[in-house]
Structures are given as structure tokens and as C-alpha cells.
Amino acid sequence: MRRILLAGLSVLALSLLPVAGHAQGTVKIGLIMPYSGQFADAATQMDDGIKLYLKQHGDKLGGMNVEIIRKDTGGINPPVAKRLAQELVTRDNVDIIAGFVLTPNALAAADVSSEAKKFMVVMNAATAIITTKSPYMVRTSLTVPQLTETLGTWAEKRGLKKVYTMVTDYGPGIDAEGAFQKGFKDAGGDIVGSVRMAVQNPDFTAYVQRAKDLDPQGIFVMIPGGAQPGAFGKALAGVGVDPKKTQVMGQLEIADEHALASMGDIAEGIITAAHYDYNHKSKMNADFVKAYNADFKRNPDFFSIGGYDGMHAIDAALKKSGGKTDGESLISAAKGMSWESPRGPISIDPETRDIIQTVYIDKVEKVGGRLVNVQIDAIPNVKDPIKAAMKK
Amino acid sequence: MALSETSIDPQLYLVEQTRWRPAEIVFWLATLLPYLLFPNYLSLASQIAIAALFALSLDLILGYAGIVSLGHAAFFGIGAYTAGLLSKYGWGEPLSGLVVAAFAAGVVGYATSFVICRFRHLALIMLTLGFGLLLAELANSLGWLTGGMDGLQGIHTWKLLGTFPFDLYGRAAYAYALAVLFVLFLFTRRLIHSPFGLSLRGIRENFVRMPAIGAPSRAHIRTIYTIAACIAGVAGALLAQTTETVSLDSLGFERSAEVVVILVLGGAGRLYGGLVGATIYLIARDQFSGIVPQYWYFWIGILLVAVVIFLPNGILGGLAQFTARWSRK
Amino acid sequence: MAWPGVARSARLLGINSSGASSMLPPVFGVLFDGLAYGMLLFLLSVGQSVTLGMMNFINLAHCSFAMLGGYLTVTLMSRYGWSFFATLPCAFVVAAVVSVGFERTLFRRLYRASELDQVLLTIGIVFISVAVAAYVFGTDQQPLQLPHYLRSSLTFMGIRFAVYRLVLVGLALLITLALVIGLDYTRFGARVRAAVDNERMARGLGIDVDRTFAITFALGSGLAGLGGALAIEIVGLDPSFAFTYLIYVLIVVSVGGLGSISGSFVAAIVLGISDVAGKYYIPQLGAFLIYLVMISLLMWRPLGLLGKR
């Protein structure tokens, strides 16, 4: 057994030799995402954002050729995500690991980034603590508290005093509940009740009825994107909660394009905190949406922008590091970087390596017969409040 | 096969069954090949070994005792969380972690076996499913303990035997998983070819009649269910220790369903069924999803359908039929 | 939980805080919502209680046929401008016809095979259907654009009734009635039962067993397609549909009992009401309730509420 082990090790050592220098001027990026399964649409949109950035930049990042290797986790599966990250590093010799729609997978892969000293770009996964798990990681998406605590403060200042919160009983839901309540209460508001809802939940009627019984001025809701926002909208309509009278608000998933389409008119008046919406008014975003539609026949969403800006971060970091692809060079290049994204001005906090961005407050309105998110306020330069609090 | 028809003495039959066949020795030697041929695939190999062990534990109840379970991941998950929690709170020694995990899974297995042994057919399947789903929801709502949806953080496994670290290449991980698989396989093999194992098959074929010939069906089912739970717990603990991650997926419905697919694909009621099934399923999945990350389900689906059509009773079952037909000619 | 104790006990007693005396207490609202949710579960599952319940064939691809019905309805409505109700028979017929194709080529080989082979084959088909749906329709949610009146609600004695949910309840009642009459009191129903109970004997009596099975299978899958088309308004539609709702279907059929349509109907009502009432009165138990109810019902009656075998 021992001899075989030794023989195996020597073969392994030999096979590792060519690692030292792969083709000059090529950067290898491994993408780990849930391409199949329940979260496949998020991965599709993110991948399309990545493709668009590469296409617009002549398939080069920082002047280097790019090789992309895609790996599927098939949903929430940290052991597989970690294995894929290991294989990308040890077998495919990638320089950078990126993607990550889901928090558990990002947390698992972060160990690999930290151990192998590889630059890692989180393009969606939104739990606050993720970036603390590897010193070589940046995030180009959002943190849940960044949006929801901001929304809590904003809602109180806009005159809501009594709010009910309903969140799905899972990581992001619990984070959002805490952050919203903190922002809202610190500003002086009163939480009149709260509920945590089952993760597998095809029908929201019972929960919405409960909220309505207390007759709050507003309802804060945080549920996973996908099928649930539509079901939530139907429950609002069925129970008779009018978002224009009882202010319904939440994070951007509840009013994304597909959610609005399946909710119908009941969605009018819903307020969301968002870091991106395809209706954002700027020349850059208009061009982005147009190019995205030309290639993929649909509008970009926040997964797309996470992927797009993630590629920009890699591009800019490579330029700044002069083509050095080791984790140390890339992360020091990425720290403090700032640029103009289709979503507005964003930057990477040099201390936390997390994103600093404008939080938009959007309201669902009917424009030209279609329901869209209309920006009604913007709070610039928001940092992740959790890590800011940790520092104190 | 031919011998079993002529040897009427059950003692002789069992002794004959326990003799090692050349194919078996070749199989186990082949499990060392990854070190020589695919040193870059050792992490995958270790996860295959773990899935194989998990499928082996399911085979004990599904293949041999006829208890179809759609909630077997419960024990896998209990093992994984036990090992993970031990490590998180300061005891990262892997081997003792396995023992504790096996014990924890075994206790829960023993407790539920009193319900399990009273039911058959669809009710049994749905009860195992229900227990599994309840446990998954419980783990989700005990976020302070399990880390909830984000998974348990802060697991660190100590060096194996105090010497071999669990590295990025999966060298120690595969050796560890394979060694545990082999030891537990030997145990299972012995168990199946014992009079107890034989009476389990009797229960599978006729639950009511076995007590009449002196084999207490319910007591036997409780025993085997507890043993299977222990082994599943070890498999879960192995995954937690080698990947240093535990999350809700370790006890979710998908893992329960996947292990059933793996076992049935390989061939239920055959010692090597789970092992072959895990190898083929996970390698196929890895390869297909490398080629078409979005649509690998399609090819896995085709694989499953093809196996049912061309190799009924799983790959091993189908092959056995072929060879039997062939040798008769 | 920051519940004012008074409001809570008042609600438990069914006294509406606004206090109008002519109104029904909210417990009736909860009952209706529970009934409607139960009927949604029933419509999704009734096809399975035909294939699994009547024919003893484990068809895990049931929700794939439901998904087919759903995609058909969405496509016909959004691309060809059909009205919602016109698409429903279409969803039934297409799912039924497609299933006969599968039945003739794949499933019929397995009627007498082991249950495990049935499981493996039909899971394989689920995998294929998920990939095909993602390839053809994309991975995104498919919104259903229902006419306005279907999304409105009526108020009667202080309780709101969502129109669409009333439609679900009505259709579920009709289907149950039709199936119970069709399978229990007609020659065809007798043939199906005979063919399942003793195939050789049935053939000996001159029953065309193959055809009977094919028709029954088509009926089950057609109902799945119809159920899918009706459910997507509430539960949404994307390629993972074929997996997501399988558990609910199995729960309804097993609690109802094999071989009994009315069993599934009763089970769906019990499960729906207990789920909605549980989430309303004790939301902390919300995620556990449906499983707890299933486990206790099955431990009480292992054959299901109205099961015959």
C-alpha cells in the first residue's frame, strides 16, 4: 500500500511539473455556478453577462487571451463546489475562480482560494461574511444587509412607522430580516410583527392573511427569486392587500421582470431596494441592455450585471498587475479599484474587498402599459453595514 | 451460480458464497489505479468512494431486506453534522470522529427502526421520506447549531493518523475514504453471507412467513436498519471531514433520491451494486457536466433509461443475466 | 414574535378586530384558502392516483407530463393568443398523446418488472424532460397572462374569494365526480380493475389488456397535463417543475390510498387545510406541518385514508 502510495505520489509530482508556466499571455478562469437545477436561470444570466463583457473586449482581459472553464454544481452543494474548485486549481491550473450564485458554494470554494492563494471573484452570493473567508476574494454583486438595512432606514424616513416583516426561513431571509429591522428600528420605526416562512412554499395566502390581520402600514418581504415572487403576488391579490395602500417592500428579487409579469397589476406600488435594474436611466446602461438583448434576446438582471462587472474587475486587476496572475498581485490591484458600471459608480472597498455602490429605491409603476421599476431615490456609496459594524 | 443449485446444505452454500472470486480481487486492486493513472482526479475518486459506501449502506436495507427508503440521507446528514460539529468545537481527529458519527446515526436509526419495522410498501417509503424531510427542516430551523442554509462554518480536520494532511489534491482524502470503504465492505460481506444475512433475504421475499420458520422479521429489520444507519453516518462523516464542509444538502431529499438511483443503477441486492453504481453515475455526471454544464441531465437520463431497457435489475443484474445465458449455451 | 396577546386570542376565537357582526369569522377564510390549496394539490396529483393508484405503475415522471401541460398552455397563450380555457383541453390531450408514445415504447415493458426498474426508468425520463425543457424554453420563469377577471376576487359576508381559486375548487369537484363515476360504475372502469388485478384472467375473458392499459395511462398523464396547466398560475413554471412538486404528489396519493380517487380528494383537502391553518395559526411549524400530518395519517392508516390495498 505504502509503495503504491509512493509510486502514486511520484507520478503526481511528475504530472505537476508542467504547471510552472502555461502559455504566456493566457489567463485561465474557472467558473463555478449552478448551471443545472433549480438555480439554472441565475447561472444562465450570469454567464451571459460574462460572455457579453468578453465579446465587447475582443475576448481579452488585461491584454491577455482568456480561457474559461465552466463547472456545474447542480444547486446548493458545497462539497461538490469545493471539489470543483480544487480540481480547477490542481488539474486545470486556473489562475482565477469566479462565478458563485449561491452562498454555501462560495463559502466552500473560499477555502480553496485561501489555501491555493487564488484570486476569487464572487459575482452574486450575497451573505455578508463571505469575503472574510479568503484574503484573495472580491465581490462585485451586493450584500443582503447593504440593500435591506438601507431600505429599513429609508422606509422610516419616508413616514412608515409600523411595519410587519415576512421572510423565508433561510440564510438570506434571516439576514434580511435582521438588517431591515435594525435599519428601521434605529431610525425610530416599530416592527409590529414578523414571520419566518417555510422554504418550500407554493402558496403564501396564510402568511399574508396573518400580516393583514395586524393592519400594518407596510410589509417587508424577503423570499427567494424564481417562482415564489409570483405566488406571493397572487396571495396579495387573493387576501386583498393593496401594495399602494399597505406599502409592500423588499429586495429586488420580488419585483424583477419575471416576477412582475406573473404577478400582474397587483404589483403596482411595490418598493424595492436594488443595486441594479435594467430600467436604470443612463447612457451606459441603455447601451448595455441593447447589446445584451441583441445577443441573448432578453433583458439583463442583477445576475447579469454581477457577471459583467466581475469580468471588469478581473480585466482591470490584470491591467494594473501588468499581467501577473497570482492571487497576491491581483488582490492588491483590485483593492480600492473604482469604475463606472451600467448600474452606476461602484468600487471595491480596500479594507473589506467588498463592493461599495449606490442603493436605488425603485417603485413598480405602469409605464406605457407595462409594469416596470421606476427609480424614486438613490443612496450613494453604501458599504456593507455588517462588516462596518464588525470593525467598530 | 451453478453451485448454489447443487449444494443443498445451507452451511456449504454460505461458505461457498464467502470465497473470494478473482473478479473481486481485480476490482479492489483497480481502486488503487487512480493514484497511478489519474492523480488529478483523486478528489473525485474520494467522493465516489464515499457515495459507494453510502449506497452500500442503503443496499443492506433496500437490496437485502426490501425496505425502500427515500429518507436515507437523514443518517448520512446526521453523521456529517456530528463529525462537523465535533471538529468545529475543537476535536478534529478524523477516525474518532467517524466512530462518534456512526454512533449518533445509529442511535437515531435504532429509534426510528421501531416505526420502520411495522410498515411495508408505499406507507414505508413515504414514512422514510417524511422523516427525512422533517429532519432537513429541523436542521434548517436550528440555524444556531447547524449554520442553517449557509452550512456549518469553521470545520478543520486534523491530519490523518497525525501524519497525512488533507490537501488540495485529495491524496489523503482518497486513501482515507477507500480504506474505510474497504473495511466496512468486508464487514458487510461477512454480514450478508451469514445466516442473519440469509434470513434478511427471506424477509424481503416473504415478510409474514419468516417468523414461522424461526426468524423474527421485525427484530431483524430493526437490527439491519440500525447497522445501515451507522454505515450511512460514517459515509456522511467522511464527506464532512474530507471536504471540511457540511450543509443542508447532506440530508436533503435529493441526496436520498440520488443514492437510490445510484444503487438501482448498479444493481440492488448485490454487494458490488452500490460500488459500481456510484462509480458509473458520478464519473458520467462529472464528464457530462464538464462537456455540457447546462444539459448534462439529458445524458444521465439517457444512461438510466438505457440501463433499464438493456440491463434490467441494474448494471450488475443485467450483466449477470447475460453471463448466465452465455454459460448455459 | 411580537404578537399582542389580545389580538391573538381574539383571532383564535374568530372575532375579527374590526368587529362587524354580519361577517363570518376569519376561520372560514382560512378554511376556504386551505380548501383551494388542497384542490391545487389534488389537481396536480389526480393523474398519479390513476397511474400509481389504479395501474400500480410507479411513474415518477408524472410531473414531467404536468410540466408539458404547463409549457403548452403558456406557449399557446403568449405566442398564439389562445384564451386560457381553450388551452386546457389541449394540455390534457397533448400530454395524453405523448404519454401513449412513451407507454407503447418504454413503460409497457416494465408493467411486470421490478418496482426499482420502474423508478429508475421514470427518473431517467424526468432528467431528460428537465434538460429538454431548459433547452427549448430556457431556464427562466414562464409568466402566465390571465385575463383580469380571473385574477380578481369576490367578497361574500366579509370573506374574500379569489376567483381563480374558486375555479380550481369547481374543476377539482368536476374531475373527481367524472373519475369516480367513470372508473367505479362503467364497463371501462371494471375492465381496468380486472386487468390490474389479474392480467391473465382478464385476457382470458377477452379484455384487450394492452389497450386498456394504454388508455388508462393516457388518462393519468392527460390529467397530469391538465393539472400542470392549472397549477402554474399559482406555483410558477420553470424546468425544475418536474422535480419540485413530485414530493407533494406522492404525499397526496399515499395519504389518500392506492386505488381510490376519492381518497386522493379527501387527502388533498385534509393536507391543504391543515397546511394553511397551520401556517396561519402556528407559523413556527409552517415548514413541518405537511410532513407531520402525512406521517401521523400514514401511521394511523398505512393503506391511506380510503386505500383498498
Side-chain angles (χ1 to χ4, degrees):
Chain A
M1 179 80 188
R2 186 128 196 204
R3 202 176 298 162
I4 295 172
L5 247 173
L6 279 177
L9 289 185
S10 51
V11 171
L12 184 78
L14 282 176
S15 70
L16 284 178
L17 276 180
V19 177
H22 52 71
Q24 202 68 48
T26 299
V27 59
K28 273 189 163 185
I29 303 173
L31 295 177
I32 300 179
M33 294 193 217
Y35 284 103
S36 69
Q38 204 188 337
F39 305 95
D41 194 50
T44 308
Q45 287 282 72
M46 193 184 276
D47 206 64
D48 287 349
I50 291 168
K51 280 187 206 138
L52 181 63
Y53 189 91
L54 284 172
K55 188 184 162 197
Q56 290 180 341
H57 294 79
D59 288 322
K60 283 190 191 269
L61 293 176
M64 301 168 82
N65 293 320
V66 183
E67 187 182 337
I68 300 237
I69 300 168
R70 294 179 165 82
K71 295 285 181 185
D72 172 41
T73 61
I76 299 178
N77 203 335
V80 166
K82 187 164 184 181
R83 169 166 65 80
L84 294 174
Q86 286 174 347
E87 290 173 352
L88 283 168
V89 169
T90 62
R91 189 199 305 164
D92 303 311
N93 305 313
V94 300
D95 305 296
I96 297 164
I97 49 178
F100 303 105
V101 170
L102 302 159
T103 294
N105 296 348
L107 287 170
D111 290 345
V112 178
S113 153
S114 156
E115 195 179 334
K117 302 192 169 51
K118 294 291 178 186
F119 190 48
M120 171 165 165
V121 183
V122 174
M123 297 171 168
N124 181 60
T127 301
I129 56 153
I130 295 175
T131 46
T132 63
K133 290 270 287 185
S134 164
Y136 306 100
M137 188 198 299
V138 295
R139 172 156 44 193
T140 60
S141 48
L142 74 157
T143 81
V144 169
Q146 192 175 38
L147 297 190
T148 50
E149 190 172 319
T150 309
L151 178 64
T153 315
W154 183 89
E156 204 282 339
K157 291 202 178 125
R158 279 300 178 94
L160 290 177
K161 298 300 169 197
K162 292 183 187 308
V163 166
Y164 185 89
T165 67
M166 42 201 310
V167 301
T168 297
D169 192 1
Y170 75 135
I174 295 164
D175 287 357
E177 179 187 57
F180 179 87
Q181 292 194 355
K182 180 170 185 303
F184 189 67
K185 282 189 203 155
D186 285 357
D190 186 17
I191 300 289
V192 294
S194 62
V195 66
R196 291 183 178 175
M197 303 177 288
V199 181
Q200 295 293 337
N201 193 32
D203 185 13
F204 286 88
T205 314
Y207 295 123
V208 172
Q209 182 67 51
R210 238 179 115 81
K212 191 193 177 199
D213 289 347
L214 287 181
D215 196 20
Q217 290 173 312
I219 295 174
F220 170 78
V221 58
M222 173 79 184
I223 48 180
Q228 293 205 3
F232 183 75
K234 268 131 222 174
L236 288 178
V239 171
V241 173
D242 182 352
K244 290 191 284 289
K245 292 177 191 132
T246 306
Q247 184 59 60
V248 175
M249 60 202 147
Q251 204 177 282
L252 69 174
E253 292 95 339
I254 59 161
D256 82 350
E257 198 187 358
H258 289 87
L260 293 182
S262 72
M263 277 182 183
D265 290 348
I266 188 74
E268 234 181 308
I270 292 180
I271 282 180
T272 55
H275 60 295
Y276 178 70
D277 186 84
Y278 73 98
N279 293 297
H280 176 62
K281 296 271 179 283
S282 74
K283 166 84 174 62
M284 195 175 179
N285 186 47
D287 293 344
F288 173 68
V289 174
K290 198 173 153 202
Y292 198 92
N293 267 295
D295 279 9
F296 312 114
K297 315 272 178 292
R298 61 189 276 201
N299 288 316
D301 62 7
F302 64 98
F303 297 110
S304 322
I305 199 73
Y308 189 81
D309 283 334
M311 292 318 267
H312 181 100
I314 295 174
D315 192 8
L318 280 169
K319 269 181 198 139
K320 213 163 137 193
S321 77
K324 281 199 216 129
T325 56
D326 60 298
E328 214 60 78
S329 313
L330 286 175
I331 194 69
S332 54
K335 280 180 188 170
M337 226 159 45
S338 67
W339 70 96
E340 187 71 22
S341 145
R343 68 178 113 165
I346 58 178
S347 62
I348 302 293
D349 187 337
E351 287 169 17
T352 62
R353 294 165 277 104
D354 219 329
I355 189 165
I356 304 175
Q357 61 190 331
T358 307
V359 174
Y360 302 100
I361 306 292
D362 292 349
K363 187 174 201 171
V364 179
E365 283 174 15
K366 214 164 203 176
V367 178
R370 282 178 64 243
L371 291 168
V372 290
N373 286 299
V374 177
Q375 190 180 315
I376 55 171
D377 206 349
I379 298 109
N381 291 323
V382 181
K383 290 187 180 190
D384 172 48
I386 298 283
K387 281 189 285 289
M390 267 154 68
K391 230 171 21 198
K392 275 172 202 161
Chain B
M1 286 292 134
L3 251 172
S4 63
E5 286 155 23
T6 50
S7 55
I8 295 151
D9 183 351
Q11 200 93 44
L12 274 179
Y13 170 75
L14 287 176
V15 170
E16 170 59 29
Q17 291 287 302
T18 49
R19 190 184 298 154
W20 282 83
R21 290 167 183 72
E24 290 184 90
I25 297 167
V26 171
F27 177 88
W28 286 103
L29 285 177
T31 58
L32 296 173
L33 284 180
Y35 279 107
L36 296 168
L37 300 182
F38 312 106
N40 286 330
Y41 286 83
L42 291 178
S43 301
L44 178 63
S46 72
Q47 296 193 359
I48 291 175
I50 292 167
L53 182 61
F54 186 34
L56 181 69
S57 76
L58 181 69
D59 203 11
L60 282 178
I61 54 171
L62 191 153
Y64 288 99
I67 305 168
V68 183
S69 171
L70 273 182
H72 203 48
F75 306 114
F76 187 91
I78 291 172
Y81 274 104
T82 309
L85 285 168
L86 261 184
S87 164
K88 179 181 178 178
Y89 291 108
W91 184 254
E93 204 289 309
L95 288 172
S96 51
L98 286 191
V99 176
V100 180
F103 181 75
V107 167
V108 179
Y110 182 67
T112 43
S113 71
F114 283 87
V115 178
I116 296 302
C117 70
R118 277 161 204 282
F119 295 92
R120 305 292 291 167
H121 308 302
L122 187 61
L124 175 65
I125 300 177
M126 297 311 291
L127 284 174
T128 56
L129 174 77
F131 286 135
L133 292 169
L134 274 184
L135 196 74
E137 290 296 346
L138 190 70
N140 181 38
S141 60
L142 296 180
W144 56 271
L145 180 70
T146 61
M149 195 72 103
D150 290 348
L152 194 61
Q153 303 302 319
I155 301 173
H156 177 67
T157 312
W158 298 351
K159 288 177 184 171
L160 182 59
L161 304 173
T163 351
F164 305 103
F166 288 97
D167 59 3
L168 282 180
Y169 297 91
R171 285 172 287 215
Y174 182 51
Y176 179 45
L178 187 61
V180 174
L181 171 65
F182 186 62
V183 169
L184 288 172
F185 177 82
L186 290 182
F187 167 76
T188 310
R189 194 174 184 277
R190 187 72 199 78
L191 186 76
I192 288 309
H193 297 316
S194 70
F196 172 73
L198 203 55
S199 61
L200 280 182
R201 271 166 278 174
I203 293 169
R204 179 186 66 193
E205 299 305 327
N206 195 329
F207 182 84
V208 187
R209 192 162 172 195
M210 285 308 281
I213 57 169
S217 289
R218 282 186 182 173
H220 277 0
I221 281 183
R222 283 205 299 273
T223 312
I224 197 66
Y225 197 74
T226 310
I227 293 173
C230 287
I231 298 179
V234 170
L238 278 177
L239 188 65
Q241 292 173 343
T242 55
T243 62
E244 298 181 333
T245 62
V246 186
S247 73
L248 293 177
D249 67 281
S250 67
L251 36 67
F253 169 70
E254 279 172 36
R255 191 174 293 272
S256 294
E258 190 183 68
V259 72
V260 172
V261 168
I262 283 175
L263 177 63
V264 178
L265 176 73
R270 289 162 193 278
L271 271 173
Y272 287 88
L275 279 58
V276 170
T279 312
I280 293 194
Y281 183 85
L282 289 182
I283 289 181
R285 186 187 154 157
D286 187 63
Q287 291 303 310
F288 290 145
S289 76
I291 302 164
V292 275
Q294 284 101 332
Y295 308 117
W296 60 267
Y297 268 125
F298 182 78
W299 299 106
I300 285 277
I302 297 281
L303 173 75
L304 300 185
V305 172
V307 165
V308 175
I309 300 298
F310 299 112
L311 298 169
N313 299 317
I315 293 171
L316 288 185
L319 288 180
Q321 257 176 36
F322 267 122
T323 46
R325 210 178 300 159
W326 211 62
S327 56
R328 227 180 289 143
K329 273 178 189 166
Chain C
M1 298 282 123
W3 283 104
V6 181
R8 189 188 168 91
S9 48
R11 211 184 47 252
L12 283 171
L13 291 169
I15 303 163
N16 199 320
S17 45
S18 54
S21 59
S22 72
M23 291 184 178
L24 285 168
V27 64
F28 285 91
V30 171
L31 281 178
F32 172 72
D33 289 333
L35 178 72
Y37 180 51
M39 290 305 98
L40 176 75
L41 294 178
F42 173 75
L43 287 167
L44 265 176
S45 324
V46 62
Q48 181 76 310
S49 80
V50 172
T51 37
L52 176 61
M54 308 293 295
M55 295 172 64
N56 263 345
F57 183 78
I58 304 179
N59 180 17
L60 297 184
H62 175 81
C63 287
S64 297
F65 291 114
M67 182 165 80
L68 175 67
Y71 274 115
L72 200 76
T73 291
V74 169
T75 311
L76 286 177
M77 284 180 71
S78 65
R79 205 164 298 166
Y80 302 100
W82 286 39
S83 88
F84 177 66
F85 288 108
T87 66
L88 294 180
C90 222
F92 180 93
V93 171
V94 171
V97 168
V98 170
S99 82
V100 171
F102 278 102
E103 200 265 349
R104 293 286 90 181
T105 52
L106 292 174
F107 294 160
R108 64 180 302 193
R109 302 158 176 253
L110 293 178
Y111 285 145
R112 269 172 292 171
S114 78
E115 292 169 355
L116 294 178
D117 273 345
Q118 297 178 354
V119 165
L120 201 62
L121 178 85
T122 50
I123 275 283
I125 290 172
V126 177
F127 281 11
I128 295 172
S129 73
V130 167
V132 169
Y135 186 80
V136 176
F137 298 100
T139 44
D140 47 338
Q141 281 290 319
Q142 303 287 326
L144 193 60
Q145 309 285 359
L146 283 189
H148 197 265
Y149 70 93
L150 276 175
R151 283 191 166 158
S152 59
S153 54
L154 312 168
T155 307
F156 176 72
M157 295 186 68
I159 295 183
R160 293 173 67 93
F161 296 93
V163 171
Y164 192 76
R165 286 167 200 255
L166 287 172
V167 171
L168 287 185
V169 175
L171 277 174
L173 279 169
L174 276 179
I175 288 173
T176 311
L177 211 64
L179 283 179
V180 168
I181 292 172
L183 292 171
D184 285 0
Y185 299 102
T186 63
R187 282 187 80 80
F188 172 73
R191 279 200 200 110
V192 176
R193 279 175 283 132
V196 171
D197 285 347
N198 193 334
E199 195 189 316
R200 278 184 59 184
M201 183 71 119
R203 279 187 205 280
L205 290 171
I207 296 174
D208 187 346
V209 172
D210 287 349
R211 207 167 141 248
T212 313
F213 274 171
I215 293 174
T216 318
F217 198 84
L219 175 68
S221 308
L223 288 169
L226 177 65
L230 287 165
I232 53 174
E233 161 67 4
I234 312 262
V235 302
L237 178 65
D238 64 19
S240 60
F241 187 97
F243 280 121
T244 316
Y245 299 101
L246 190 56
I247 292 180
Y248 293 96
V249 168
L250 290 175
I251 290 178
V252 170
V253 174
S254 63
V255 170
L258 293 183
S260 167
I261 303 291
S262 34
S264 292
F265 184 77
V266 176
I269 293 178
V270 171
L271 289 164
I273 291 182
S274 55
D275 191 61
V276 169
K279 282 171 177 167
Y280 181 72
Y281 291 114
I282 341 167
Q284 295 86 342
L285 273 185
F288 299 90
L289 233 117
I290 192 161
Y291 309 131
L292 284 174
V293 171
M294 171 190 83
I295 288 175
S296 26
L297 286 177
L298 279 178
M299 286 178 73
W300 173 48
R301 294 184 71 95
L303 293 182
L305 293 174
L306 301 176
K308 289 165 189 164
R309 14 165 232 283

